Amino acid sequence: MKSSLLKWYFLAFLLASDFVVFAQPGGTGEDGDLEGGGDPPAPINAKLIWLAIVGVSFAFYYFNKNRQEKRA
C-alpha cells in the first residue's frame, strides 16, 4: 500500500509542478494593464465536447478489452 500511495503522491506532484514549470510571468502593456492587447484567445469550447466523447469511448474500449482478456 505504501508503494501505491507513493505513486499517487508522485503523480500529484508532477501534475501540480507542470503549471509552475511552464508558467510565464505576465508583462505590462503600454496602457499599464497586464498582458497588453495581444491576439484574441482561441475558442476551445467546441473541441471540449469532442475530446470528452473520444475520452469516454477510449475508456470504454480499454476496460472492455481488459475484461475480455481476464476471461480468457
Side-chain angles (χ1 to χ4, degrees), residues 21-52:
V21 171
F22 293 109
Q24 298 175 356
T28 56
E30 293 87 28
D31 54 356
D33 63 344
L34 289 178
E35 296 295 327
D39 296 331
I44 62 167
N45 292 338
K47 305 295 183 195
L48 290 177
I49 295 171
W50 289 110
L51 182 63

Side-chain angles (χ1 to χ4, degrees), residues 3-29:
S3 176
S4 177
L5 188 60
L6 182 64
K7 289 178 185 177
W8 282 108
Y9 281 139
F10 187 66
L11 177 66
F13 174 75
L14 287 178
L15 291 176
S17 68
D18 185 47
F19 293 112
V20 175
V21 171
F22 293 109
Q24 298 175 356
T28 56

